[in-house]
Amino acid sequence: MEFQLEKSQQEIQKAVKDFAKGEFDKELAREMDKTCKFPTRIWQNAADLGFIGIHVPEELGGGGMGVLENTLIAEAFCRRDSTIGAALMLSCFAAEYLLRFGGDHQRQSFLPDVIAGRMLSGAAFYGAENRSGFWGNTPVAEKTNNGWRLSGEIEYVINGGRAGFYCLPCSNGKNHSPSSNLKMVIVKDGLEGVSFEDRNDTLGLRMTPTAKMILAGVNISPEELIGKENQGEKQVERILAESWVLISALALGIAQGALDRSLDYVKQREQFGKKIARFQVTQHKLADMATRIEQVRYLTYAAAKSFDSRKPEYKLAAMAKLGAARTAVAVASEAVQLMGGYGYMTEYDVERFYRDAKTLELIGGNPVNLRNAIAKRIIGRIR
Ligand SMILES: Cc1cc2nc3c(=O)[nH]c(=O)nc-3n(C[C@H](O)[C@H](O)[C@H](O)COP(=O)(O)OP(=O)(O)OC[C@H]3O[C@@H](n4cnc5c(N)ncnc54)[C@H](O)[C@@H]3O)c2cc1C
């Protein structure tokens, strides 16, 4: 498949690359990874240059471009630094719920702040394709005289405890089948009854805040409903698929960044009197890594493009996420191996790329969920 990026898209790639080169300081990255610090200053600088929310319409403060452009930014950020790149791109994790399904007032109330780097956002993705294990824990929305009262717990919420708002699916509590009156609602920061338990001390993505969210009788008004009642399942399905494209792009960048670093290393490291890049076994490893990366690059770009063409291909998005996350883990693991003892040291960064890659394989749907999503679409109905 031939995939030619337009000139404007190549210019975005270059601008992001230059920005990341200037801003993503290696020492700072290692320190922020160790101490689980969100890269606030870099995020705000990235937002000032329009790299956050480039796919959001201009009237909401975005760049008026597409999912593909957002994909290119995510890839280029993570190629330079996996942990900083992911934290920046996941800063607006819930924005798509409002972008695709929110009313004018909801979009205007939150999106400009998110895109300007003034507000983080969070979201949950319970749904038919991401429910392994915790479907039964979907928060319950009980009807009140003026809206709903929410109760329940969400095990992991990116930007939890730090975001200005959260987009959450809630069930009516009566049954838990996928079409069970699921609705999406906005929970603003600071509402009575909302609390968080910090879950930052994780294997990877340690600059991205994560927390357990607890809703203990939280009252929300009808204005906080996103779209219509009973449409939550469809909304989750769409936004989850869009998140697969984003996570694929992050994984793609991580894989490429790990390959870049191992290439630099094998061309200067000597063993048995020659550069290790001269050994055929090393060359074949590099060839396999590059081949896997190129395969998922095409898949990821094609999935992104399908969302821009208004015919989103959920199957392609699931394939891209499944393939890209696995590729990132495999390539980063091989990079650690190729760099021997140095690959294991924090100073050389590939161990961090490896940890971040593994986390991407878990979030936004694990391989079981993704295979289910793909199988459903390739098999169709069985009579
Ligand atoms: C750092 C982090 C951040 C996260 N952020 C968010 C967030 O912001 N929003 C959000 O909604 N979620 C978030 N998550 C949740 C994430 O999407 C889930 O952890 C993930 O989907 C897996 O679900 P689970 O943890 O319940 O694992 P389980 O579903 O319990 O899976 C455990 C194991 O069982 C396997 N398994 C599950 N079902 C089957 C089956 N049917 N057949 C065979 N094997 C099966 C799985 O592959 C896995 O190996 C986050 C998770 C992490 C780790």
Side-chain angles (χ1 to χ4, degrees):
M1 177 174 47
E2 186 69 25
F3 204 107
Q4 189 61 48
L5 293 177
E6 290 167 15
K7 193 156 181 285
S8 61
Q9 293 165 337
Q10 291 171 17
E11 283 165 2
I12 290 170
Q13 278 183 313
K14 171 145 191 348
V16 179
K17 189 177 166 193
D18 292 346
F19 171 81
K21 194 173 169 195
E23 292 267 341
F24 294 7
D25 181 78
K26 281 180 170 218
E27 288 303 322
L28 188 66
R30 283 170 209 141
E31 189 53 31
M32 288 190 300
D33 176 70
K34 209 187 291 175
T35 53
C36 301
K37 288 261 165 20
F38 178 76
T40 307
R41 185 187 50 78
I42 305 173
W43 169 54
Q44 285 160 352
N45 291 348
D48 285 348
L49 290 179
F51 297 142
I52 306 294
I54 199 165
H55 58 306
V56 173
E58 286 174 6
E59 62 269 23
L60 292 166
M65 295 186 192
V67 176
L68 181 56
E69 283 79 5
N70 201 45
T71 297
L72 298 175
I73 294 175
E75 179 189 356
F77 274 165
C78 282
R79 181 173 183 173
R80 186 81 200 178
D81 190 289
S82 57
T83 331
I84 299 178
L88 299 188
M89 296 309 288
L90 294 172
S91 65
C92 46
F93 206 34
E96 282 77 14
Y97 273 119
L98 299 187
L99 182 62
R100 310 294 174 205
F101 301 108
D104 280 349
H105 179 68
Q106 293 171 334
R107 296 163 106 211
Q108 288 291 353
S109 300
F110 298 105
L111 292 181
D113 280 342
V114 168
I115 287 145
R118 291 189 292 264
M119 185 187 276
L120 295 173
S121 58
F125 292 101
Y126 306 93
E129 288 166 351
N130 196 41
R131 65 184 157 147
S132 59
F134 52 55
W135 172 258
N137 293 337
T138 308
V140 171
E142 183 196 333
K143 194 104 189 89
T144 61
N145 288 339
N146 183 29
W148 295 276
R149 183 177 296 116
L150 312 181
S151 306
E153 294 180 348
I154 302 160
E155 284 300 319
Y156 306 93
V157 178
I158 280 177
N159 302 324
R162 299 278 306 272
F165 71 101
Y166 304 87
C167 297
L168 308 177
C170 300
S171 79
N172 62 9
K174 293 199 177 111
N175 74 64
H176 285 143
S177 81
S179 54
S180 66
N181 300 319
L182 208 64
K183 62 175 86 52
M184 288 298 308
V185 298
I186 301 170
V187 172
K188 288 184 207 152
D189 176 42
L191 286 187
E192 209 182 317
V194 179
S195 61
F196 295 91
E197 278 173 22
D198 202 24
R199 292 217 157 140
N200 282 339
D201 200 4
T202 49
L203 176 77
L205 300 193
R206 290 170 61 85
M207 293 178 209
T208 302
T210 307
K212 175 173 177 168
M213 186 172 187
I214 300 152
L215 305 159
V218 179
N219 287 308
I220 57 162
S221 68
E223 286 79 60
E224 316 303 349
L225 178 69
I226 303 174
K228 294 190 180 134
E229 275 201 71
N230 307 335
Q231 288 191 344
E233 184 66 24
K234 264 202 165 126
Q235 295 176 2
V236 173
E237 196 180 29
R238 157 74 197 227
I239 303 307
L240 183 60
E242 207 166 325
S243 84
W244 290 336
V245 179
L246 174 64
I247 296 169
S248 307
L250 302 175
L252 174 60
I254 291 179
Q256 186 65 60
L259 176 61
D260 294 345
R261 283 157 180 79
S262 33
L263 279 169
D264 287 347
Y265 184 81
V266 298
K267 286 200 270 186
Q268 55 86 16
R269 172 74 170 165
E270 282 191 24
Q271 280 295 25
F272 304 101
K274 58 180 177 181
K275 298 271 165 35
I276 57 175
R278 292 199 183 278
F279 293 115
Q280 191 187 49
V281 66
T282 308
Q283 294 175 357
H284 285 188
K285 282 183 178 193
L286 295 166
D288 284 347
M289 291 156 85
T291 303
R292 290 187 74 159
I293 292 170
E294 215 53 50
Q295 285 168 344
V296 293
R297 178 169 288 123
Y298 283 124
L299 201 48
T300 302
Y301 289 2
K305 230 178 158 180
S306 80
F307 281 76
D308 291 333
S309 69
R310 297 186 189 280
K311 273 195 182 164
E313 290 241 22
Y314 296 1
K315 181 185 72 184
L316 271 191
M319 288 172 165
K321 205 271 177 176
L322 183 67
R326 188 84 297 258
T327 294
V329 173
V331 168
S333 167
E334 194 66 276
V336 171
Q337 195 70 34
L338 276 171
M339 292 170 70
Y342 288 128
Y344 190 68
M345 309 307 290
T346 53
E347 196 186 332
Y348 283 79
D349 291 330
V350 284
E351 60 82 33
R352 187 155 54 84
F353 277 59
Y354 179 51
R355 289 189 279 113
D356 290 339
K358 187 63 206 170
T359 308
L360 290 186
E361 205 173 26
L362 282 170
I363 67 168
N366 61 40
V368 168
N369 308 132
L370 296 162
R371 289 193 180 99
N372 285 345
I374 297 163
K376 183 173 100 180
R377 291 180 174 87
I378 59 173
I379 296 170
R381 279 185 60 196
I382 307 170
R383 287 173 196 280

